[in-house]
Amino acid sequence: MNRRDFIKLTIKGTAAVMLVNGLDIIFQPPDVHARTSPRRFVFLVDIYKCIGCGFCVKACKLENEIPFDAGVSRTWVERYVVNGEGEVFADTPKEARYGFTTGRIDLGRGKFKDIPQEKTKKAFFVPKLCNQCEKPSCVQVCPVGATYQNADGVVLIDRKWCIGCGYCIMACPYGMRFFHPVHRVADKCNFCYHRINQGLRPACVQACPTGARLIGNIKDPGDPVEKIIRTQQVAVHKPEYGTNPQVYYVGLGEEVR
Amino acid sequence: MVLESLWTVKEFFVYPNEYIYWAIQIVMYPFMTGLVAGAFVLSSLYHLFGIKPLKEIARFALVFSFALLMVAPLPLLLHLAQPQRSLYVGLTPHFTSAIAAFGVVLFVYGSVVAAELWFLFRKHLVEVSIELKSKTNKSLAEKIKYMVHTILTLGAMDVSDASLKLDAKAIKVLAGVGVPIACFLHGYAGFIFGSVKANALWMTPLMPVIFIMSAIVSGVALCMLIYIIIMGMKKFIVSRKNDSAALSTLKEINSEEISTVQTSVKYLIFFMIFSISLELLDLVFRGYTAVKSWDILRNVIYGTDFINIFLLQYLMGNLVPFILLLLPGLKIRRLIPALLLVLFGVFMMRWNVVIGGQSFSLTFSGYMDYQLPIIPHGLETFKEGLGGALLIAVLPFILFWILNKIFPVLQTKGPD
């Protein structure tokens, strides 16, 4: 084999490999898998039912081994208080893992705000968790593909492949992501995928004493969560970012940040 | 507690997971790539457009750009939580991400600069190699020097006029190709920020252009500054000889310096005007359109970050040096503080983008204050603290000193 033949063969071989790879991407793209999957996990939060006990946060931390005092959490509960002047105060002291033990609003830097009960016009709790967006911006920006959306619609992270650049943390409009304090890689809620994949409920859903948090499969017409989302007034958080979030809220007001 | 809580102070309503994740090293990253791009553009002004007074500074700027280039990926590496995995970006690049192609862009650009350097200094490398080859009983240092230079010639020992003409042509082509790549390298850094839709301060299509313009400003300013220092050193060495020949050499150096500096200042001012105009356009546009995020941005820009933005960046970093540069009767003595302030201004611009962009919460109802770790308590606080930043700032100068041994730009008058 002379040099010219060798180069020709190399080019042909490379082209063949690229073609085979290309065909796989063309005919089996991830969204085909997603379309053919019988499941698309969604979450339903009923704000009217949340009492701010923080059991969900505690359960999540235990289940997913997020250090208790690390200052980060896969889920948290926010408290909103609206006074007579329409001013909105919100906080989530220690991610609400101990619930809300005082009536004062935590302003940070060790400062607190007392809002007397007679001035409080409206007050409610809003649990937050990863929205498992249909078009996740965190997945878009990961430079190594360590975070990805699986066929069930859940966005997962490969802890062995994440380089820890933090771009996904920057890209999430919901502030869901953080660096795991022990593993030092990106981390976030995944609807407890290890549990729901086996037909169990996420830890937070199981821990919720009022049924404010529900998991469902929007592709299953008999699923109670599917029924509520399809037939009632529900809303999602920050739809303006075009991420198409899949955590639906009952009773989501305009005060919620 | 998480590492980031060491330098983040939260106020009012901030999501629990929000911290300043992109800290000082991500400030250094665009600052360094900006200097790379700026130095290259300055050198291309001579090599591509043939602006004669810039000849000496152009050669120097190219070598310096190469030294900066080697440091440019370091801040990113220091920033990564898993630096040992940095090569995964090359193994499984995910091209929908704006940083997936960073390695590719940097490598292409590095190759262009390296090739241009080689063509520019080929004659010198061959000359040294031939000279040392003929020398008998070489010392160890000379042996190493001979080996390095001979390897770097890559066997192309032909220094005839025809071949040198070809070199000059290659330099021109590479300088031409290099300018868009240099701008891309840095515009790209701007895109990394400008495309983050979750960040209200970063998201603007103007970001890459603003980055490129300020990059050129910083690169030109740094090259001028070092050029002035080198010339000062030369003058000092010559003046110690104290004879009539030295006096005329001194005059020669002086006139050359003034003409180079005056031409460079013109370009510096030109790019400064561009850069400031774009930044002000961005600010005015945000205020005028006043979308949802403007309330918090206004509080950040005119409130919490007022000193950083208006006093340090616009006043000290733009207006004061602008006046110093424009005042009639330009003196070298006045130029030095002006150039230092320009560099400071561009650094503050990077700071205000990177840190400023994270100083308000995604809730639009809370703030985060960044406190740069000064005294390191461990490796992490060194990397993400003052020490790490200074390390990045000093490294290019050390590299430049080493490179200068092979591509001499400080000592002698080199090839065209």
Side-chain angles (χ1 to χ4, degrees), chain A residues 69-73 78 107 111 139-144 159 161-165 167 170 176 178 183-184 238 241 257, chain B residues 1-4 11-12 15-17 19 21-22 79 81-82 85 92 94 96-97 192 196-197 358 362-363 365 369:
Chain A
D69 283 316
V72 287
S73 189
E78 294 165 1
L107 299 180
K111 285 176 288 184
V139 171
Q140 182 189 26
V141 302
C142 178
V144 292
R159 275 188 183 167
W161 209 254
C162 172
I163 60 170
C165 66
Y167 206 8
M170 291 295 134
M176 284 302 150
F178 55 93
H183 304 295
R184 292 301 292 159
K238 298 185 184 177
Y241 287 101
R257 307 275 176 236
Chain B
M1 288 306 279
V2 286
L3 179 69
E4 290 75 17
E11 196 172 14
F12 302 116
Y15 293 141
N17 296 339
Y19 290 94
Y21 287 98
W22 283 5
H79 160 74
Q82 302 288 342
R85 295 180 185 169
T92 56
H94 187 238
T96 59
S97 166
I192 289 174
V196 177
K197 62 182 167 188
Q358 298 172 82
L362 290 165
T363 61
S365 325
D369 190 20

Short mmCIF file of all heavy atoms in Angstrom, two decimals, chain A residues 69-73 78 107 111 139-144 159 161-165 167 170 176 178 183-184 238 241 257, chain B residues 1-4 11-12 15-17 19 21-22 79 81-82 85 92 94 96-97 192 196-197 358 362-363 365 369:
data_model
loop_
_atom_site.label_atom_id
_atom_site.label_comp_id
_atom_site.label_asym_id
_atom_site.label_seq_id
_atom_site.Cartn_x
_atom_site.Cartn_y
_atom_site.Cartn_z
N ASP A 69 -26.55 20.73 57.21
CA ASP A 69 -26.28 22.14 57.48
C ASP A 69 -25.47 22.82 56.39
O ASP A 69 -24.82 23.82 56.61
CB ASP A 69 -25.52 22.28 58.81
CG ASP A 69 -26.47 22.11 59.98
OD1 ASP A 69 -27.56 22.69 59.93
OD2 ASP A 69 -26.12 21.38 60.92
N ALA A 70 -25.49 22.25 55.21
CA ALA A 70 -24.59 22.75 54.16
C ALA A 70 -25.02 24.08 53.56
O ALA A 70 -24.25 24.74 52.86
CB ALA A 70 -24.44 21.71 53.05
N GLY A 71 -26.25 24.49 53.78
CA GLY A 71 -26.71 25.74 53.19
C GLY A 71 -27.18 25.59 51.75
O GLY A 71 -27.34 26.58 51.04
N VAL A 72 -27.35 24.36 51.31
CA VAL A 72 -27.92 24.10 49.98
C VAL A 72 -28.94 22.98 50.13
O VAL A 72 -28.86 22.19 51.07
CB VAL A 72 -26.84 23.67 48.95
CG1 VAL A 72 -25.99 24.84 48.53
CG2 VAL A 72 -25.98 22.54 49.50
N SER A 73 -29.89 22.93 49.20
CA SER A 73 -30.90 21.89 49.30
C SER A 73 -31.54 21.64 47.94
O SER A 73 -31.64 22.54 47.12
CB SER A 73 -31.98 22.31 50.29
OG SER A 73 -32.85 21.23 50.53
N GLU A 78 -40.80 28.18 50.57
CA GLU A 78 -40.75 29.64 50.75
C GLU A 78 -42.02 30.11 51.44
O GLU A 78 -43.09 29.54 51.26
CB GLU A 78 -40.64 30.32 49.38
CG GLU A 78 -39.33 30.02 48.69
CD GLU A 78 -39.33 30.36 47.20
OE1 GLU A 78 -40.37 30.85 46.71
OE2 GLU A 78 -38.32 30.12 46.55
N LEU A 107 -34.44 38.50 56.92
CA LEU A 107 -33.98 39.40 55.86
C LEU A 107 -32.51 39.17 55.49
O LEU A 107 -31.94 39.88 54.69
CB LEU A 107 -34.16 40.87 56.29
CG LEU A 107 -35.58 41.34 56.59
CD1 LEU A 107 -35.58 42.80 57.01
CD2 LEU A 107 -36.48 41.15 55.38
N LYS A 111 -30.71 40.11 60.16
CA LYS A 111 -31.83 41.02 60.41
C LYS A 111 -33.17 40.31 60.19
O LYS A 111 -33.28 39.41 59.36
CB LYS A 111 -31.73 42.24 59.48
CG LYS A 111 -30.66 43.23 59.90
CD LYS A 111 -30.54 44.37 58.91
CE LYS A 111 -29.91 43.93 57.62
NZ LYS A 111 -29.67 44.98 56.66
N VAL A 139 -29.13 21.70 30.67
CA VAL A 139 -28.63 20.66 29.77
C VAL A 139 -27.98 21.31 28.54
O VAL A 139 -26.92 20.87 28.08
CB VAL A 139 -29.79 19.72 29.34
CG1 VAL A 139 -29.34 18.78 28.23
CG2 VAL A 139 -30.27 18.93 30.54
N GLN A 140 -28.62 22.37 28.07
CA GLN A 140 -28.07 23.07 26.89
C GLN A 140 -26.64 23.55 27.13
O GLN A 140 -25.80 23.45 26.24
CB GLN A 140 -28.97 24.26 26.55
CG GLN A 140 -28.52 25.03 25.32
CD GLN A 140 -29.30 26.33 25.11
OE1 GLN A 140 -29.81 26.93 26.06
NE2 GLN A 140 -29.41 26.74 23.87
N VAL A 141 -26.35 24.07 28.33
CA VAL A 141 -25.06 24.72 28.53
C VAL A 141 -23.96 23.80 29.05
O VAL A 141 -22.80 24.20 29.10
CB VAL A 141 -25.17 25.93 29.49
CG1 VAL A 141 -26.16 26.94 28.95
CG2 VAL A 141 -25.54 25.49 30.89
N CYS A 142 -24.28 22.56 29.44
CA CYS A 142 -23.23 21.68 29.97
C CYS A 142 -22.20 21.38 28.88
O CYS A 142 -22.55 20.84 27.84
CB CYS A 142 -23.83 20.38 30.49
SG CYS A 142 -22.56 19.24 31.09
N PRO A 143 -20.93 21.73 29.11
CA PRO A 143 -19.94 21.59 28.03
C PRO A 143 -19.52 20.14 27.76
O PRO A 143 -18.95 19.85 26.72
CB PRO A 143 -18.74 22.40 28.54
CG PRO A 143 -18.88 22.42 30.00
CD PRO A 143 -20.35 22.37 30.30
N VAL A 144 -19.80 19.22 28.70
CA VAL A 144 -19.35 17.84 28.51
C VAL A 144 -20.51 16.86 28.41
O VAL A 144 -20.29 15.65 28.28
CB VAL A 144 -18.41 17.40 29.65
CG1 VAL A 144 -17.11 18.15 29.60
CG2 VAL A 144 -19.08 17.56 31.00
N ARG A 159 -22.38 12.17 37.99
CA ARG A 159 -21.39 12.69 38.95
C ARG A 159 -19.96 12.34 38.58
O ARG A 159 -19.03 12.98 39.03
CB ARG A 159 -21.67 12.10 40.34
CG ARG A 159 -22.71 12.88 41.08
CD ARG A 159 -22.80 12.38 42.51
NE ARG A 159 -23.86 13.11 43.18
CZ ARG A 159 -24.37 12.76 44.33
NH1 ARG A 159 -23.94 11.68 44.93
NH2 ARG A 159 -25.32 13.48 44.89
N TRP A 161 -18.81 12.45 35.57
CA TRP A 161 -18.39 13.15 34.36
C TRP A 161 -18.43 14.68 34.49
O TRP A 161 -17.86 15.41 33.68
CB TRP A 161 -19.25 12.69 33.16
CG TRP A 161 -18.50 12.79 31.87
CD1 TRP A 161 -18.70 13.74 30.89
CD2 TRP A 161 -17.43 11.97 31.39
NE1 TRP A 161 -17.82 13.54 29.84
CE2 TRP A 161 -17.03 12.46 30.13
CE3 TRP A 161 -16.76 10.86 31.92
CZ2 TRP A 161 -15.99 11.89 29.38
CZ3 TRP A 161 -15.73 10.30 31.16
CH2 TRP A 161 -15.36 10.82 29.92
N CYS A 162 -19.14 15.17 35.51
CA CYS A 162 -19.27 16.63 35.70
C CYS A 162 -17.89 17.22 36.03
O CYS A 162 -17.16 16.70 36.88
CB CYS A 162 -20.24 16.91 36.85
SG CYS A 162 -20.29 18.64 37.34
N ILE A 163 -17.52 18.31 35.31
CA ILE A 163 -16.21 18.91 35.54
C ILE A 163 -16.27 20.03 36.58
O ILE A 163 -15.24 20.58 36.96
CB ILE A 163 -15.58 19.44 34.23
CG1 ILE A 163 -16.46 20.52 33.59
CG2 ILE A 163 -15.32 18.31 33.26
CD1 ILE A 163 -15.78 21.24 32.43
N GLY A 164 -17.48 20.40 36.97
CA GLY A 164 -17.63 21.42 38.01
C GLY A 164 -17.38 22.84 37.53
O GLY A 164 -16.78 23.64 38.24
N CYS A 165 -17.84 23.14 36.31
CA CYS A 165 -17.62 24.51 35.80
C CYS A 165 -18.67 25.48 36.34
O CYS A 165 -18.44 26.67 36.41
CB CYS A 165 -17.60 24.53 34.28
SG CYS A 165 -19.17 24.12 33.50
N TYR A 167 -21.54 26.20 34.96
CA TYR A 167 -22.32 26.90 33.93
C TYR A 167 -23.82 26.56 34.07
O TYR A 167 -24.66 27.43 33.90
CB TYR A 167 -21.81 26.49 32.54
CG TYR A 167 -22.05 27.51 31.45
CD1 TYR A 167 -22.53 28.78 31.72
CD2 TYR A 167 -21.78 27.18 30.11
CE1 TYR A 167 -22.73 29.70 30.71
CE2 TYR A 167 -21.98 28.10 29.10
CZ TYR A 167 -22.46 29.36 29.39
OH TYR A 167 -22.66 30.26 28.38
N MET A 170 -25.43 28.63 36.67
CA MET A 170 -25.69 29.98 36.18
C MET A 170 -26.91 30.00 35.26
O MET A 170 -27.63 30.99 35.18
CB MET A 170 -24.49 30.48 35.37
CG MET A 170 -23.28 30.76 36.18
SD MET A 170 -23.59 32.11 37.29
CE MET A 170 -22.93 31.45 38.76
N MET A 176 -32.07 26.17 41.11
CA MET A 176 -32.21 24.82 41.65
C MET A 176 -30.87 24.14 41.88
O MET A 176 -30.76 23.24 42.69
CB MET A 176 -33.01 23.95 40.68
CG MET A 176 -34.47 24.23 40.72
SD MET A 176 -35.09 23.96 42.39
CE MET A 176 -36.42 25.14 42.39
N PHE A 178 -26.70 23.49 42.53
CA PHE A 178 -25.63 23.88 43.46
C PHE A 178 -24.51 22.88 43.34
O PHE A 178 -24.67 21.82 42.72
CB PHE A 178 -26.18 23.93 44.89
CG PHE A 178 -26.83 22.64 45.33
CD1 PHE A 178 -26.12 21.66 46.00
CD2 PHE A 178 -28.17 22.41 45.06
CE1 PHE A 178 -26.72 20.48 46.40
CE2 PHE A 178 -28.78 21.23 45.46
CZ PHE A 178 -28.06 20.26 46.12
N HIS A 183 -19.24 16.01 47.15
CA HIS A 183 -18.72 15.51 45.86
C HIS A 183 -18.17 16.61 44.97
O HIS A 183 -17.47 16.32 44.00
CB HIS A 183 -19.83 14.74 45.13
CG HIS A 183 -20.41 13.62 45.95
ND1 HIS A 183 -19.66 12.55 46.33
CD2 HIS A 183 -21.64 13.46 46.52
CE1 HIS A 183 -20.41 11.73 47.06
NE2 HIS A 183 -21.61 12.28 47.20
N ARG A 184 -18.48 17.84 45.23
CA ARG A 184 -18.02 18.99 44.44
C ARG A 184 -18.37 18.84 42.96
O ARG A 184 -17.54 19.10 42.08
CB ARG A 184 -16.51 19.23 44.61
CG ARG A 184 -16.11 19.70 46.00
CD ARG A 184 -16.74 20.97 46.46
NE ARG A 184 -16.28 22.15 45.71
CZ ARG A 184 -16.98 23.29 45.67
NH1 ARG A 184 -18.14 23.39 46.30
NH2 ARG A 184 -16.51 24.32 45.01
N LYS A 238 -42.16 30.94 36.31
CA LYS A 238 -41.34 31.66 35.34
C LYS A 238 -41.40 31.09 33.91
O LYS A 238 -40.37 30.69 33.34
CB LYS A 238 -39.87 31.67 35.79
CG LYS A 238 -39.63 32.39 37.11
CD LYS A 238 -38.14 32.47 37.43
CE LYS A 238 -37.89 33.08 38.78
NZ LYS A 238 -36.50 33.12 39.17
N TYR A 241 -39.05 32.25 30.59
CA TYR A 241 -37.71 31.84 30.17
C TYR A 241 -37.73 30.77 29.07
O TYR A 241 -36.67 30.35 28.60
CB TYR A 241 -36.90 31.33 31.38
CG TYR A 241 -36.47 32.45 32.30
CD1 TYR A 241 -37.14 32.70 33.48
CD2 TYR A 241 -35.39 33.26 31.96
CE1 TYR A 241 -36.75 33.75 34.32
CE2 TYR A 241 -35.00 34.29 32.80
CZ TYR A 241 -35.68 34.53 33.97
OH TYR A 241 -35.29 35.55 34.80
N ARG A 257 -41.89 34.47 43.60
CA ARG A 257 -40.68 34.76 42.84
C ARG A 257 -40.07 33.48 42.30
O ARG A 257 -40.05 32.49 42.99
CB ARG A 257 -39.66 35.45 43.75
CG ARG A 257 -40.21 36.67 44.45
CD ARG A 257 -40.09 37.88 43.55
NE ARG A 257 -40.70 39.04 44.16
CZ ARG A 257 -41.65 39.78 43.61
NH1 ARG A 257 -42.15 39.44 42.43
NH2 ARG A 257 -42.12 40.83 44.22
N MET B 1 -20.74 23.82 55.73
CA MET B 1 -21.24 24.81 54.76
C MET B 1 -20.55 24.62 53.42
O MET B 1 -19.44 24.12 53.35
CB MET B 1 -20.95 26.23 55.30
CG MET B 1 -21.82 26.64 56.47
SD MET B 1 -23.59 26.48 56.18
CE MET B 1 -23.91 27.99 55.28
N VAL B 2 -21.22 25.07 52.37
CA VAL B 2 -20.58 24.97 51.05
C VAL B 2 -19.46 25.99 50.95
O VAL B 2 -19.45 27.03 51.61
CB VAL B 2 -21.61 25.19 49.91
CG1 VAL B 2 -22.49 23.98 49.75
CG2 VAL B 2 -22.40 26.45 50.11
N LEU B 3 -18.52 25.67 50.06
CA LEU B 3 -17.34 26.52 49.88
C LEU B 3 -17.72 27.96 49.53
O LEU B 3 -17.15 28.91 50.07
CB LEU B 3 -16.50 25.92 48.74
CG LEU B 3 -15.23 26.64 48.37
CD1 LEU B 3 -14.23 26.50 49.50
CD2 LEU B 3 -14.66 26.06 47.09
N GLU B 4 -18.71 28.11 48.68
CA GLU B 4 -19.07 29.44 48.18
C GLU B 4 -19.58 30.35 49.28
O GLU B 4 -19.57 31.58 49.12
CB GLU B 4 -20.12 29.34 47.07
CG GLU B 4 -19.62 28.74 45.76
CD GLU B 4 -19.44 27.22 45.82
OE1 GLU B 4 -20.00 26.59 46.73
OE2 GLU B 4 -18.73 26.68 44.96
N GLU B 11 -28.52 38.94 51.34
CA GLU B 11 -29.41 39.90 52.00
C GLU B 11 -30.80 39.86 51.34
O GLU B 11 -30.89 39.73 50.12
CB GLU B 11 -28.81 41.31 51.89
CG GLU B 11 -29.46 42.27 52.86
CD GLU B 11 -28.75 43.62 52.91
OE1 GLU B 11 -27.95 43.88 52.01
OE2 GLU B 11 -29.04 44.39 53.83
N PHE B 12 -31.83 39.98 52.15
CA PHE B 12 -33.22 39.88 51.73
C PHE B 12 -33.51 38.50 51.13
O PHE B 12 -32.86 37.54 51.52
CB PHE B 12 -33.61 41.03 50.79
CG PHE B 12 -33.38 42.37 51.43
CD1 PHE B 12 -32.45 43.26 50.91
CD2 PHE B 12 -34.05 42.73 52.59
CE1 PHE B 12 -32.21 44.47 51.51
CE2 PHE B 12 -33.83 43.95 53.20
CZ PHE B 12 -32.90 44.83 52.66
N TYR B 15 -32.74 32.71 46.93
CA TYR B 15 -32.94 31.25 46.95
C TYR B 15 -31.80 30.59 47.72
O TYR B 15 -30.66 31.04 47.65
CB TYR B 15 -32.96 30.68 45.52
CG TYR B 15 -34.14 31.08 44.67
CD1 TYR B 15 -33.96 31.37 43.32
CD2 TYR B 15 -35.42 31.17 45.19
CE1 TYR B 15 -35.03 31.71 42.51
CE2 TYR B 15 -36.50 31.53 44.39
CZ TYR B 15 -36.29 31.80 43.04
OH TYR B 15 -37.34 32.15 42.25
N PRO B 16 -32.11 29.48 48.41
CA PRO B 16 -31.08 28.86 49.27
C PRO B 16 -29.81 28.46 48.51
O PRO B 16 -28.71 28.56 49.04
CB PRO B 16 -31.77 27.61 49.82
CG PRO B 16 -33.21 27.82 49.62
CD PRO B 16 -33.40 28.78 48.51
N ASN B 17 -29.96 27.98 47.27
CA ASN B 17 -28.78 27.47 46.54
C ASN B 17 -27.99 28.56 45.85
O ASN B 17 -26.97 28.28 45.22
CB ASN B 17 -29.21 26.45 45.50
CG ASN B 17 -29.85 25.24 46.14
OD1 ASN B 17 -29.63 24.97 47.31
ND2 ASN B 17 -30.64 24.53 45.37
N TYR B 19 -25.39 31.31 45.33
CA TYR B 19 -24.14 31.85 45.89
C TYR B 19 -23.40 32.49 44.72
O TYR B 19 -23.81 32.37 43.58
CB TYR B 19 -23.29 30.75 46.50
CG TYR B 19 -23.87 30.17 47.78
CD1 TYR B 19 -24.67 29.03 47.72
CD2 TYR B 19 -23.63 30.75 49.00
CE1 TYR B 19 -25.22 28.50 48.87
CE2 TYR B 19 -24.18 30.22 50.16
CZ TYR B 19 -24.97 29.11 50.09
OH TYR B 19 -25.52 28.59 51.23
N TYR B 21 -21.04 31.73 42.52
CA TYR B 21 -20.31 30.54 42.08
C TYR B 21 -19.16 30.91 41.15
O TYR B 21 -18.17 30.21 41.10
CB TYR B 21 -21.26 29.58 41.35
CG TYR B 21 -22.21 28.86 42.28
CD1 TYR B 21 -23.51 29.30 42.46
CD2 TYR B 21 -21.79 27.74 42.98
CE1 TYR B 21 -24.38 28.64 43.30
CE2 TYR B 21 -22.66 27.07 43.84
CZ TYR B 21 -23.95 27.52 44.00
OH TYR B 21 -24.80 26.87 44.84
N TRP B 22 -19.34 31.96 40.39
CA TRP B 22 -18.29 32.38 39.47
C TRP B 22 -17.57 33.57 40.10
O TRP B 22 -18.05 34.70 40.05
CB TRP B 22 -18.87 32.76 38.10
CG TRP B 22 -19.20 31.53 37.29
CD1 TRP B 22 -19.13 30.23 37.70
CD2 TRP B 22 -19.66 31.49 35.93
NE1 TRP B 22 -19.51 29.40 36.68
CE2 TRP B 22 -19.83 30.13 35.59
CE3 TRP B 22 -19.93 32.47 34.97
CZ2 TRP B 22 -20.26 29.73 34.32
CZ3 TRP B 22 -20.36 32.07 33.71
CH2 TRP B 22 -20.52 30.72 33.40
N HIS B 79 -10.66 27.46 38.33
CA HIS B 79 -12.05 27.63 38.77
C HIS B 79 -12.78 26.29 38.88
O HIS B 79 -13.63 26.12 39.74
CB HIS B 79 -12.77 28.54 37.79
CG HIS B 79 -14.26 28.40 37.84
ND1 HIS B 79 -15.00 28.91 38.88
CD2 HIS B 79 -15.14 27.77 37.04
CE1 HIS B 79 -16.28 28.61 38.69
NE2 HIS B 79 -16.39 27.91 37.58
N ALA B 81 -14.34 22.83 39.70
CA ALA B 81 -14.39 22.07 40.94
C ALA B 81 -13.71 20.71 40.74
O ALA B 81 -13.28 20.09 41.70
CB ALA B 81 -15.84 21.90 41.39
N GLN B 82 -13.65 20.24 39.51
CA GLN B 82 -13.00 18.97 39.19
C GLN B 82 -11.96 19.20 38.09
O GLN B 82 -12.15 18.74 36.95
CB GLN B 82 -14.04 17.94 38.72
CG GLN B 82 -15.16 17.66 39.71
CD GLN B 82 -14.68 16.86 40.89
OE1 GLN B 82 -13.63 16.23 40.86
NE2 GLN B 82 -15.44 16.89 41.99
N ARG B 85 -10.71 16.71 35.49
CA ARG B 85 -11.58 16.24 34.42
C ARG B 85 -11.66 17.23 33.25
O ARG B 85 -12.50 17.08 32.37
CB ARG B 85 -13.00 16.02 34.96
CG ARG B 85 -13.08 14.92 35.99
CD ARG B 85 -14.52 14.78 36.49
NE ARG B 85 -14.58 13.79 37.57
CZ ARG B 85 -15.66 13.62 38.32
NH1 ARG B 85 -16.74 14.34 38.10
NH2 ARG B 85 -15.66 12.72 39.28
N THR B 92 -15.80 14.52 25.19
CA THR B 92 -17.23 14.50 24.86
C THR B 92 -17.74 15.93 24.78
O THR B 92 -18.55 16.34 25.61
CB THR B 92 -18.04 13.74 25.93
OG1 THR B 92 -17.77 14.36 27.20
CG2 THR B 92 -17.68 12.29 25.99
N HIS B 94 -19.97 18.92 24.18
CA HIS B 94 -21.42 19.04 23.99
C HIS B 94 -21.65 20.40 23.36
O HIS B 94 -21.67 21.42 24.06
CB HIS B 94 -22.09 18.92 25.37
CG HIS B 94 -23.57 18.87 25.33
ND1 HIS B 94 -24.35 19.79 25.99
CD2 HIS B 94 -24.43 18.04 24.70
CE1 HIS B 94 -25.62 19.52 25.78
NE2 HIS B 94 -25.70 18.45 25.00
N THR B 96 -23.87 22.28 22.13
CA THR B 96 -24.90 23.30 22.39
C THR B 96 -24.43 24.23 23.51
O THR B 96 -25.03 25.27 23.74
CB THR B 96 -26.23 22.67 22.80
OG1 THR B 96 -26.02 21.88 23.97
CG2 THR B 96 -26.81 21.80 21.70
N SER B 97 -23.36 23.84 24.20
CA SER B 97 -22.83 24.69 25.26
C SER B 97 -21.83 25.68 24.69
O SER B 97 -21.00 25.32 23.86
CB SER B 97 -22.14 23.83 26.32
OG SER B 97 -21.36 24.64 27.16
N ILE B 192 -20.40 33.61 26.14
CA ILE B 192 -20.62 32.73 27.29
C ILE B 192 -21.49 33.43 28.33
O ILE B 192 -22.40 32.85 28.90
CB ILE B 192 -19.27 32.31 27.92
CG1 ILE B 192 -18.55 31.35 26.98
CG2 ILE B 192 -19.46 31.68 29.30
CD1 ILE B 192 -17.15 30.98 27.44
N VAL B 196 -26.52 33.68 28.70
CA VAL B 196 -27.15 33.10 29.89
C VAL B 196 -28.48 33.82 30.12
O VAL B 196 -28.53 34.91 30.67
CB VAL B 196 -26.25 33.24 31.14
CG1 VAL B 196 -26.95 32.69 32.38
CG2 VAL B 196 -24.95 32.50 30.93
N LYS B 197 -29.57 33.18 29.69
CA LYS B 197 -30.85 33.87 29.74
C LYS B 197 -31.36 34.06 31.16
O LYS B 197 -32.18 34.92 31.42
CB LYS B 197 -31.89 33.15 28.88
CG LYS B 197 -32.21 31.74 29.31
CD LYS B 197 -33.21 31.14 28.34
CE LYS B 197 -33.33 29.64 28.54
NZ LYS B 197 -34.14 29.03 27.49
N GLN B 358 -23.88 38.55 39.45
CA GLN B 358 -24.31 37.60 40.48
C GLN B 358 -24.64 38.30 41.79
O GLN B 358 -24.85 37.64 42.79
CB GLN B 358 -23.20 36.58 40.75
CG GLN B 358 -22.86 35.75 39.53
CD GLN B 358 -21.63 34.90 39.79
OE1 GLN B 358 -21.70 33.85 40.38
NE2 GLN B 358 -20.49 35.37 39.34
N LEU B 362 -31.95 35.64 41.73
CA LEU B 362 -32.92 35.28 40.69
C LEU B 362 -34.34 35.62 41.13
O LEU B 362 -35.25 35.66 40.31
CB LEU B 362 -32.83 33.77 40.42
CG LEU B 362 -31.56 33.28 39.71
CD1 LEU B 362 -31.44 31.77 39.83
CD2 LEU B 362 -31.56 33.69 38.25
N THR B 363 -34.53 35.86 42.43
CA THR B 363 -35.85 36.26 42.91
C THR B 363 -36.15 37.71 42.54
O THR B 363 -37.28 38.15 42.64
CB THR B 363 -35.92 36.17 44.44
OG1 THR B 363 -34.95 37.07 44.98
CG2 THR B 363 -35.63 34.78 44.95
N SER B 365 -35.48 39.97 44.35
CA SER B 365 -35.82 40.63 45.62
C SER B 365 -34.71 40.48 46.64
O SER B 365 -34.98 40.66 47.83
CB SER B 365 -37.10 40.04 46.22
OG SER B 365 -38.00 39.69 45.25
N ASP B 369 -23.51 39.76 48.26
CA ASP B 369 -22.31 40.59 48.31
C ASP B 369 -21.10 39.67 48.22
O ASP B 369 -21.05 38.64 48.89
CB ASP B 369 -22.32 41.37 49.63
CG ASP B 369 -21.23 42.43 49.64
OD1 ASP B 369 -20.76 42.81 48.54
OD2 ASP B 369 -20.84 42.87 50.73
#
